Amino acid sequence: MTHDDHGHGDHGHPSHDDHGHTSHAGHGSHSSHHTHDNDDFDWAAMADLLELEGETHSPYVRQALAELAQPTPRRILDIGSGPGVAACRLAAVFPDAEVTAVDGAPELLARAEQRAERLGVRLRTQVAEFPAGLADLGPADLVWSGQAVHHVGDQQGVLNQLAGLLEPGGVLAVVEGGLPPRWLPRDLGFGRCGLQERLDVAMAERFGRMRAELPGSVAVVEDWPGMLRAAGLTDARSRTFLIDHPAPLAEGPRRFVRGSLERCRQVLADLLDTEDLSTLDRLLDPSDPASVDHRTDLFLLTAKTVHFGTAPGA
Ligand SMILES: C[S@@+](CC[C@H](N)C(=O)[O-])C[C@H]1O[C@@H](n2cnc3c(N)ncnc32)[C@H](O)[C@@H]1O
């Protein structure tokens, strides 16, 4: 492990991340603030939570890179990099490669630059709005994209574009799916048992709404290896990596769980009943001894799935 394996926390929903999408066209100058009716989709405001999430989940990126059979990549793109946790990891693992973090939110790319400087790795950044801005990015030997494809209306269309950026023999690695997180015991000592499962259901509902509202939203069977094959890639395969922070949680993962629960409280208010909302309020009240800040039974268990495909013709 390197120093950035031990970040000060994280948050995140591998399979029901609902962070929304940026809503601007073109390159380089837009803000990442959304046109939605609240701040649920303000990427810049989510910088801390995204960085915490990346840091808490981070070891899976290195494990996924160990799966690559290709020669050392020279040019790497991280599409939808956010604050650059994975991009910096890519830069640390492949120090001779030119790694570019690409995102629609300039504020998050600024965070990625600061992170790269702090960690002493070489990283370029490029503002681009998907899908239009993907056309100018290639070629690359490795294209990585973590939980960004599902924020674009036409997921197959984006995968086709990403596959088109690859050199012959290059690899596309897409992080999608995985398992929803587990943080809490079934019985918390108050409220109705099984809160976490009801959060899953509400998040899945919200995710469906988010996808349906995306511009140019296209329904597709989310068979990720099949979609990689449809994009013309070969050797499509999926690997899943366990993220296991047992109780009692260290400060970083604990902050991530707090951030995630705060987000649930914020974005699921219309999908949970009043009893569950009160339970969340109690979990989030720092003065309550049963809150996430004090509980010794809080844990973080989840899994990330990475789908790989290879460009033919090497
Ligand atoms: C859920 S975050 C993932 C961040 C990081 N890759 C990770 O795995 O933690 C999704 C990222 O995609 C970016 N994004 C979403 N939709 C986009 C779009 N249409 N164009 C450009 N960037 C977009 C957001 O700004 C955000 O940084």
Side-chain angles (χ1 to χ4, degrees), residues 283-303:
L283 284 167
L284 290 169
D285 176 358
S287 68
D288 192 319
S291 76
V292 290
D293 309 292
H294 306 292
R295 301 186 75 95
T296 54
D297 56 5
L298 206 64
F299 58 95
L300 170 59
L301 180 65
T302 190

Side-chain angles (χ1 to χ4, degrees), residues 28-207:
S29 58
H30 65 270
S31 135
S32 62
H33 203 93
H34 284 259
T35 53
H36 287 73
D37 54 356
N38 57 35
D39 65 354
D40 291 357
F41 297 94
D42 183 344
W43 287 112
M46 292 190 59
D48 289 337
L49 196 55
L50 288 171
E51 197 164 4
L52 271 170
E53 173 173 6
E55 288 172 344
T56 303
H57 294 160
S58 174
Y60 91 91
V61 177
R62 180 181 290 278
Q63 290 171 291
L65 297 178
E67 296 286 317
L68 296 176
Q70 62 168 161
T72 306
R74 284 156 305 181
R75 193 153 184 274
I76 302 174
L77 297 169
D78 181 353
I79 303 297
S81 65
V85 179
C88 287
R89 173 51 54 90
L90 286 158
V93 171
F94 301 113
D96 297 326
E98 180 191 296
V99 182
T100 307
V102 184
D103 203 278
E107 301 89 340
L108 296 182
L109 292 179
R111 292 282 289 253
E113 285 165 9
Q114 289 159 14
R115 183 176 183 86
E117 188 159 345
R118 212 162 58 236
L119 298 176
V121 297
R122 287 194 308 135
L123 183 69
R124 296 172 177 227
T125 58
Q126 164 91 49
V127 180
E129 188 65 20
F130 318 145
L134 295 173
D136 314 326
L137 298 172
D141 306 298
L142 173 61
V143 174
W144 174 276
S145 186
Q147 298 169 134
V149 171
H150 66 243
H151 290 297
V152 184
D154 182 358
Q155 298 179 107
Q156 182 67 60
V158 171
L159 292 180
N160 296 347
Q161 278 186 286
L162 297 181
L165 299 175
L166 292 172
E167 296 275 19
V171 171
L172 173 58
V174 176
V175 187
E176 291 287 351
L179 290 176
R182 287 291 173 269
W183 309 310
L184 298 161
R186 188 189 68 91
D187 186 339
L188 294 171
F190 56 91
R192 190 149 59 97
C193 290
L195 173 67
Q196 189 104 52
E197 286 81 358
R198 293 190 295 283
L199 295 179
D200 288 350
V201 170
M203 273 295 183
E205 170 66 23
R206 185 182 158 76
F207 187 93

